[in-house]
Amino acid sequence: MEVQVIGDSIHLSAYRSRIPQSVTNGKTTPAEYESDFFHLYGDTSPVVSCGPDIQSHYETLDAPPNSDFYANTEVCGRRKRFRPSLYQLYAKPEDDPQPPMYQETTPDGMEGESSEDEEQKEPLPEPTRFGWVHGVMIRCMLNIWGVILYLRLPWITAQAGIGLTWVIILLSSCITGITGLSTSAIATNGKVKGGGTYFLISRSLGPELGGSIGLIFAFANAVAVAMHTVGFAETVVDLMHENGAVMVNRINDIRIIGVITVTCLLGISMAGMAWESKAQVLFFLVIMVSFTSYIVGTIIPASPQKQAKGFFSYKADIFAKNFVPDWRGQEGSFFGMFSIFFPSATGILAGANISGDLKDPTVAIPRGTLMAIFWTTLSYLIISATIGSCVVRDASGLLNDTLSSSSSNKNCVGIACQYGWDFTDCINNDTCIFGISNYYQSMSMVSAFAPLITAGIFGATLSSALACLVSAPKVFQCLCKDKLYPLIGFFGKGYGKNDEALRSYLLAFIIAVCFILIAELNTIAPIISNFFLCSYCLINFSCFHASITNSPGWRPSFRFYNKWLSLLCAVCCLVIMFLLTWWAALIAFGVVLLLLGYTLYKRPAVNWGSSVQASSYNIALNQCISLNQVEDHVKNYRPQCLVLTGPPSSRPALVDLVSCFTKNLSLMMCGHVVTNDLSALVQSESHISWLKQRKVKSFYKHVVAADLRSGVNMLLQGSGLGRMRPNVLLMGFKTDWHSASPQAAHSYIGILQDAFDLQYGVCVLRTRERLDVSHPYQSYANPGFDGELQNMTTVHTSGLNNITSVPNDPEAQLSRPTLFQKKQGKKTIDVYWLSDDGGLTLLLPYLLTRRKRWAKCKVRVFVGGDNSKNDERRQEVMTLIKKFRLGFHDVEVLPDLFQKPQPGNIHQFEKMMSSFKLDTNPKTESDSGSSRAQEEPWWITDQDLERNRAKSFRQIRLNEILQDYSREATLIVITMPVGRRGVCPSILYLAWLELLSRDLSSPVLLVRGNQENVLTFYCQ
């Protein structure tokens, strides 16, 4: 098979998608192969009509556009089609079709399907679905119309006047209208499922805000059921008392009637959406009949009984008098009237809340919601204008208060004097009981048939209660299915073809009954209004936020919205919440913040492509670009670390140490070079998950390369973005270099040299235990670190099929603590600052001591010096460290650093080097040894040993000092020696690092900066 390679033998075909074996079984011809593929992935006719000779030249696997390619759900009645992968388009049909290790998009169940499975299944019965009129417009209108329309709108007109009442109505409608536009934009930006308001907000702003709003919105709807039911029960109880009928007392009568009513409503709801929809239509007709009765009543000439109560039919003088405000009582103000009226404008989300039961939510929600807002606003304006044109503010209701012909009009007070009525006494004494300022039942009095208005009140309250009783379970069911919060999944189960949330219905019923039994909801109602307003605020903010992020995925088909209007409306909703009831607004925000904090803490595993994600990308991108305009300064230096961990879970100690001085401070990136075992690519997401569970703030990056050194070179040059790129390389010490092949050791040292060439600082960690804990838990440890190494120039592609049967256990590795996760106590961090590398050797221990688990550690700094100048050298270094403000107060001078090491250690070093020495027999040709040394630079000659003898002895001596001074240290930090290229062979340099760090019980961190300052004592 011809595949693209990197280097000599790394096949990128491992990334290809899986080929269905049912199609390519190795027996089909190329023509049959493409024909079968096109049948599965496209239409049955691959090309347009043409002759057979021409058609054979145009056959292709490319499928024409099809909605199946973009759908996440199955298609009823037929097999779902799948788009061919890129590999399937360019691979040869006769090549080996065995599935590779990596799979992107493969249809489940395509392989080995039987003929019975290929048969079309019977389509499921279509559930009940509603259009925009029946499902959204009527439902929203019924939920908007309520008791305030009948009992409070005339009173508000008397207080604020017709002019300001219209302002209140239009302002409320502007808020709900803009919210409707925002809802329409969000609802048309993709396919809308069940869940209503919660679904719209959560899929736009993410689970954090969406989940909190969904929970309180469902609860508010459940309590609203009780509020509307109690309003209905109070009206019934008042009618019973007028006729002398009492069951127990007023409070208990309200409870009994309320529980009976909500039980009947529950039965209608659980009978199915079809029955509930029929009941809503009945309520709608009742309300329309009541409106008709009211309008007819305003046209009919007033009888003396109605005139005594202040009704005189349409009069221009009454309209002019009632056009201006007449504030009365403590609530007599514009915002007081606005706070009373605004709840009657809510309810615009009733249609969106049953989005899962709509035929086409993207069409029904915008059209139905906006039409409902228009017609209800028009009805409010008409009723306000007509009631203000027909009824005076004050009337006594007494037939004797007529103005006789002999009486004088000079002492008569009120506009009724012009129509032969004198209400002066009750006006002056504040005892008028009729008129729109005093009589809440003014619409019943004006109506042609008063019982129809009572029926309208019943219809408005029951329809609102029924709409809330349906909305709450629908929203809560969607929230339960998303599993954002614990202990609520039980209520997410659906029943029947409509997926009815029967369990959620029962829960909403129980909540409603609990609040009905209180029978006094005056303190709960403001909280409900604030919860609804909070939802409106977040819907508008969702629309604004999705627009401002400029995400390509924000493409609503509804174009009549404006992001700045949405933002203004969100702010208005926020202000209104505090104007209505400030303490209820604080409760609402408290609940939202509490649920938000829980969701942020738990981090649910959902990905909905929210605008918050798009915003995070924009912010990160802009900040990275802005960093390019900032020049580097030593004061702002941060060690940005590229850590060669391989799979991060295989070297947890290395990850934990680097995390100690990069967490919340600088960049950390775990690098993984994949060579001969591409199965590691499958677990890329698991590595990121492991870092997250271990609470390590790090990126993960893997590359595919022919060998370790070339792969690390890719990471060194290609990692990072702009100025957010690594400047320090960290890796584990190669403990098995003496038993591994010389080529592997040479490649390991080559990595260090490549890092120096690219101006990286380099750190090498060596611990008493193996850094690589993956053996025998995993099979894809990187060569070149701690494992047993083979020839690194050879890559065995057969490793794809030779995977160990013992998988990596991330849970076991996650629970396994490392020495860097423990509290270090009052131990010491010994820093051997033997060479000045720019200050990185001092900076890393300082960053460690800023962590809580290292805070009690004492840092000791060791430097070299002469016996005669110990005090001067110590004072010099102390002064320098003090200028750096590192807080290190213990400096020791090593006067015996330059003494000759012990003979036994020298002999051990020579024995170690003997197996790597190049045999230079003087009898052979003189140039044969040098040519071999050039071809195999890891070999050591006698000249190399002699030339580097002083440095070799220094490493041996330094190890002796470490064992004397730092036996009890919790961490040893040493300046790493540097071997000159061409002078010090790679094996000899690796032996230096071995000699320097061996036989120590404490972890050793070899550090070498890039010889540029990372510390400064200047303030600029």
Side-chain angles (χ1 to χ4, degrees):
M1 181 184 294
E2 295 181 3
V3 292
Q4 187 178 357
V5 300
I6 293 180
D8 296 330
S9 57
I10 297 302
H11 294 230
L12 293 184
S13 60
Y15 286 98
R16 70 180 184 261
S17 299
R18 182 175 300 177
I19 306 172
Q21 293 182 355
S22 61
V23 177
T24 58
N25 54 14
K27 298 181 181 180
T28 58
T29 63
E32 295 171 341
Y33 171 83
E34 296 199 356
S35 178
D36 289 342
F37 253 121
F38 202 95
H39 181 73
L40 279 176
Y41 294 98
D43 292 333
T44 53
S45 55
V47 293
V48 296
S49 59
C50 54
D53 294 335
I54 299 177
Q55 179 174 343
S56 64
H57 295 286
Y58 287 91
E59 282 186 343
T60 176
L61 296 183
D62 275 337
N66 194 294
S67 62
D68 283 8
F69 301 158
Y70 302 91
N72 294 330
T73 56
E74 297 295 332
V75 182
C76 295
R78 61 178 175 84
R79 295 176 62 192
K80 183 181 177 182
R81 295 167 179 164
F82 293 88
R83 183 191 300 111
S85 69
L86 185 61
Y87 177 78
Q88 291 161 356
L89 292 178
Y90 75 77
K92 286 185 177 181
E94 62 271 14
D95 286 338
D96 181 15
Q98 291 297 322
M101 296 306 303
Y102 185 78
Q103 176 182 349
E104 285 186 353
T105 54
T106 303
D108 295 335
M110 289 289 289
E111 299 183 12
E113 289 183 345
S114 62
S115 59
E116 290 81 8
D117 295 333
E118 295 178 355
E119 294 180 359
Q120 294 183 353
K121 299 180 180 180
E122 289 292 332
L124 297 175
E126 183 67 21
T128 304
R129 294 287 186 258
F130 305 107
W132 69 272
V133 175
H134 201 181
V136 181
M137 188 185 75
I138 293 179
R139 189 177 300 274
C140 287
M141 292 175 69
L142 289 173
N143 210 18
I144 293 172
W145 285 328
V147 178
I148 291 178
L149 170 67
Y150 291 96
L151 302 182
R152 289 296 183 270
L153 186 57
W155 176 71
I156 294 174
T157 304
Q159 290 270 356
I162 297 174
L164 288 183
T165 301
W166 278 30
V167 172
I168 292 173
I169 295 171
L170 293 176
L171 180 60
S172 302
S173 298
C174 283
I175 294 175
T176 56
I178 296 173
T179 304
L181 296 177
S182 300
T183 304
S184 302
I186 299 173
T188 57
N189 189 50
K191 186 176 181 180
V192 178
K193 298 181 181 180
T197 305
Y198 160 71
F199 185 90
L200 298 179
I201 297 178
S202 62
R203 269 54 176 181
S204 181
L205 285 179
E208 294 82 10
L209 283 175
S212 57
I213 284 299
L215 196 59
I216 65 173
F217 189 75
F219 178 77
N221 272 281
V223 179
V225 175
M227 184 179 67
H228 294 299
T229 305
V230 168
F232 168 79
E234 287 180 349
T235 306
V236 174
V237 169
D238 290 340
L239 290 176
M240 291 171 58
H241 286 184
E242 290 178 3
N243 294 277
V246 177
M247 289 184 288
V248 182
N249 53 49
R250 177 177 173 81
I251 295 295
N252 288 318
D253 288 355
I254 292 175
R255 292 170 178 170
I256 294 172
I257 295 174
V259 171
I260 294 174
T261 303
V262 78
T263 305
C264 296
L265 294 177
L266 175 67
I268 296 174
S269 301
M270 297 184 69
M273 290 299 297
W275 285 95
E276 186 269 346
S277 180
K278 293 176 182 178
Q280 293 284 22
V281 172
L282 176 62
F283 292 142
F284 181 77
L285 293 177
V286 171
I287 293 176
M288 296 307 297
V289 170
S290 69
F291 283 169
T292 304
S293 175
Y294 165 75
I295 295 298
V296 171
T298 60
I299 300 174
I300 297 175
S303 63
Q305 289 80 7
K306 288 187 177 182
Q307 288 183 358
K309 296 179 180 179
F311 173 66
F312 297 95
S313 194
Y314 291 104
K315 304 292 181 181
D317 293 338
I318 297 177
F319 176 83
K321 184 68 174 179
N322 290 338
F323 189 82
V324 296
D326 181 20
W327 307 115
R328 301 181 184 181
Q330 296 180 351
E331 297 173 339
S333 65
F334 177 82
F335 286 108
M337 294 300 105
F338 181 84
S339 65
I340 294 174
F341 174 80
F342 184 78
S344 67
T346 61
I348 62 172
L349 300 177
N353 287 336
I354 63 162
S355 55
D357 297 297
L358 301 175
K359 292 179 181 178
D360 190 355
T362 57
V363 174
I365 292 176
R367 187 177 299 175
T369 303
L370 296 178
M371 289 300 293
I373 293 173
F374 172 77
W375 289 116
T376 53
T377 301
L378 184 62
S379 67
Y380 284 139
L381 294 174
I382 291 175
I383 292 175
S384 175
T386 54
I387 200 74
S389 302
C390 299
V391 184
V392 297
R393 284 192 169 99
D394 298 292
S396 64
L398 301 176
L399 294 175
N400 296 330
D401 285 344
T402 56
L403 189 64
S404 62
S405 57
S406 60
S407 303
S408 173
N409 291 338
K410 294 181 180 180
N411 297 326
C412 186
V413 178
I415 193 66
C417 299
Q418 301 178 18
Y419 308 110
W421 292 85
D422 185 6
F423 303 131
T424 304
D425 291 340
C426 74
I427 293 176
N428 293 333
N429 298 328
D430 258 348
T431 57
C432 295
I433 59 175
F434 289 97
I436 55 176
S437 290
N438 309 290
Y439 188 49
Y440 291 153
Q441 299 285 350
S442 295
M443 287 186 65
S444 298
M445 181 263 294
V446 173
S447 174
F449 186 61
L452 289 179
I453 299 298
T454 303
I457 296 174
F458 289 171
T461 54
L462 293 179
S463 63
S464 297
L466 187 58
C468 293
L469 187 57
V470 171
S471 299
K474 295 289 184 182
V475 173
F476 193 63
Q477 181 187 31
C478 183
L479 179 63
C480 295
K481 288 183 177 180
D482 287 336
K483 300 179 180 178
L484 300 183
Y485 302 107
L487 307 177
I488 63 174
F490 172 80
F491 300 99
K493 182 176 176 59
Y495 297 87
K497 62 179 182 180
N498 274 6
D499 195 31
E500 296 290 348
L502 299 185
R503 297 177 179 178
S504 296
Y505 275 118
L506 292 176
L507 179 63
F509 170 77
I510 293 172
I511 295 174
V513 168
C514 291
F515 282 91
I516 288 173
L517 294 178
I518 298 174
E520 182 58 52
L521 298 179
N522 291 337
T523 57
I524 305 298
I527 300 179
I528 298 173
S529 298
N530 276 275
F531 281 165
F532 283 126
L533 278 171
C534 192
S535 302
Y536 295 169
C537 178
L538 284 178
I539 286 178
N540 285 286
F541 182 75
S542 299
C543 182
F544 165 77
H545 196 265
S547 302
I548 203 69
T549 54
N550 294 322
S551 173
W554 175 249
R555 302 185 303 274
S557 57
F558 183 84
R559 300 291 182 179
F560 304 101
Y561 72 96
N562 183 276
K563 58 185 177 184
W564 300 112
L565 278 179
S566 298
L567 178 62
L568 176 63
C569 188
V571 174
C572 290
C573 290
L574 189 64
V575 172
I576 292 171
M577 288 178 64
F578 285 92
L579 289 177
L580 291 179
T581 313
W582 64 267
W583 57 267
L586 291 178
I587 292 176
F589 275 100
V591 174
V592 171
L593 292 177
L594 180 64
L595 296 174
L596 174 63
Y598 175 83
T599 312
L600 289 173
Y601 175 76
K602 296 299 291 185
R603 293 287 183 182
V606 294
N607 185 7
W608 295 326
S610 66
S611 61
V612 174
Q613 295 174 331
S615 177
S616 299
Y617 174 85
N618 283 349
I619 294 173
L621 179 62
N622 292 333
Q623 293 298 325
C624 286
I625 293 175
S626 64
L627 276 178
N628 290 333
Q629 313 301 324
V630 180
E631 295 184 2
D632 290 333
H633 195 283
V634 63
K635 287 175 61 178
N636 294 325
Y637 175 84
R638 298 166 186 261
Q640 303 188 110
C641 303
L642 172 61
V643 192
L644 299 185
T645 60
S649 59
S650 66
R651 293 172 178 81
L654 188 59
V655 172
D656 293 336
L657 175 64
V658 179
S659 176
C660 286
F661 52 77
T662 62
K663 188 174 183 180
N664 298 327
L665 174 73
S666 59
L667 174 69
M668 176 181 174
M669 181 176 293
C670 294
H672 182 190
V673 179
V674 182
T675 54
N676 64 336
D677 193 351
L678 299 179
S679 63
L681 299 177
V682 182
Q683 301 190 10
S684 176
E685 291 298 326
S686 67
H687 300 325
I688 299 175
S689 176
W690 184 88
L691 290 169
K692 180 181 178 181
Q693 294 178 17
R694 206 173 182 88
K695 298 182 180 179
V696 174
K697 296 185 177 180
S698 171
F699 295 97
Y700 170 78
K701 175 69 175 178
H702 67 255
V703 295
V704 181
D707 56 69
L708 178 66
R709 183 176 180 181
S710 61
V712 174
N713 211 309
M714 294 180 194
L715 291 172
L716 291 172
Q717 298 185 63
S719 298
L721 178 65
R723 295 193 183 276
M724 296 290 295
R725 55 187 309 112
N727 52 26
V728 177
L729 174 69
L730 287 104
M731 56 195 304
F733 181 71
K734 185 173 177 57
T735 56
D736 63 342
W737 65 274
H738 52 280
S739 60
S741 64
Q743 297 93 327
H746 177 71
S747 178
Y748 178 84
I749 298 301
I751 293 173
L752 302 181
Q753 295 173 347
D754 292 342
F756 289 141
D757 290 338
L758 295 171
Q759 291 296 301
Y760 272 72
V762 174
C763 300
V764 176
L765 176 65
R766 182 175 187 178
T767 58
R768 187 179 183 88
E769 300 82 12
R770 294 176 60 91
L771 284 177
D772 189 355
V773 300
S774 61
H775 297 290
Y777 299 105
Q778 64 187 27
S779 63
Y780 51 88
N782 270 344
F785 288 104
D786 302 65
E788 292 294 332
L789 300 174
Q790 303 297 328
N791 191 332
M792 294 187 62
T793 60
T794 303
V795 179
H796 304 283
T797 57
S798 61
L800 283 172
N801 299 321
N802 297 330
I803 304 173
T804 179
S805 60
V806 181
N808 183 20
D809 186 1
E811 292 295 334
Q813 294 181 1
L814 190 65
S815 60
R816 184 185 299 115
T818 65
L819 66 151
F820 299 115
Q821 284 185 308
K822 304 173 183 177
K823 288 188 177 182
Q824 304 301 322
K826 296 182 179 181
K827 298 182 180 179
T828 62
I829 300 176
D830 290 352
V831 181
Y832 288 81
W833 195 23
L834 305 178
S835 303
D836 196 328
D837 59 349
L840 186 62
T841 307
L842 289 179
L843 180 61
L844 294 184
Y846 167 73
L847 296 177
L848 282 177
T849 57
R850 294 174 60 180
R851 299 298 173 190
K852 186 176 181 181
R853 69 185 65 163
W854 296 84
K856 295 183 179 180
C857 291
K858 178 183 178 182
V859 179
R860 299 190 300 176
V861 180
F862 296 87
V863 295
D866 297 332
N867 284 327
S868 59
K869 299 181 179 179
N870 277 358
D871 294 338
E872 295 179 9
R873 180 60 175 163
R874 180 184 295 106
Q875 188 62 36
E876 179 184 352
V877 176
M878 280 291 298
T879 302
L880 181 59
I881 292 177
K882 187 176 181 180
K883 290 181 178 180
F884 289 148
R885 306 172 307 280
L886 296 175
F888 303 160
H889 305 292
D890 195 343
V891 176
E892 297 188 25
V893 180
L894 302 173
D896 53 352
L897 177 62
F898 302 102
Q899 296 180 2
K900 188 175 181 180
Q902 298 177 7
N905 292 331
I906 296 176
H907 177 71
Q908 189 176 3
F909 165 70
E910 292 174 348
K911 183 179 180 181
M912 181 190 305
M913 292 294 97
S914 61
S915 58
F916 296 99
K917 287 183 62 177
L918 184 64
D919 185 14
T920 55
N921 190 345
K923 297 181 180 181
T924 61
E925 297 182 2
S926 59
D927 59 343
S928 62
S930 60
S931 62
R932 185 180 179 187
Q934 292 177 359
E935 295 175 359
E936 300 176 346
W938 48 82
W939 295 110
I940 303 173
T941 64
D942 292 334
Q943 292 82 359
D944 294 330
L945 289 175
E946 186 64 29
R947 192 164 43 227
N948 295 281
R949 180 174 297 275
K951 290 186 177 180
S952 300
F953 284 179
R954 182 178 181 181
Q955 313 311 323
I956 300 173
R957 176 56 186 160
L958 184 56
N959 180 259
E960 295 173 356
I961 293 175
L962 293 177
Q963 295 190 41
D964 290 338
Y965 285 84
S966 302
R967 190 174 298 274
E968 302 298 330
T970 187
L971 177 66
I972 302 174
V973 182
I974 317 174
T975 305
M976 181 192 298
V978 178
R980 187 179 294 274
R981 182 179 293 161
V983 178
C984 179
S986 57
I987 293 293
L988 179 59
Y989 181 58
L990 195 51
W992 289 356
L993 303 183
E994 167 74 22
L995 292 171
L996 190 61
S997 59
R998 69 175 183 176
D999 299 332
L1000 296 172
S1001 59
S1002 304
V1004 179
L1005 183 64
L1006 304 172
V1007 180
R1008 170 60 69 166
N1010 62 357
Q1011 301 302 117
E1012 295 183 1
N1013 289 345
V1014 300
L1015 295 174
T1016 181
F1017 41 75
Y1018 295 106
C1019 62
Q1020 63 180 10

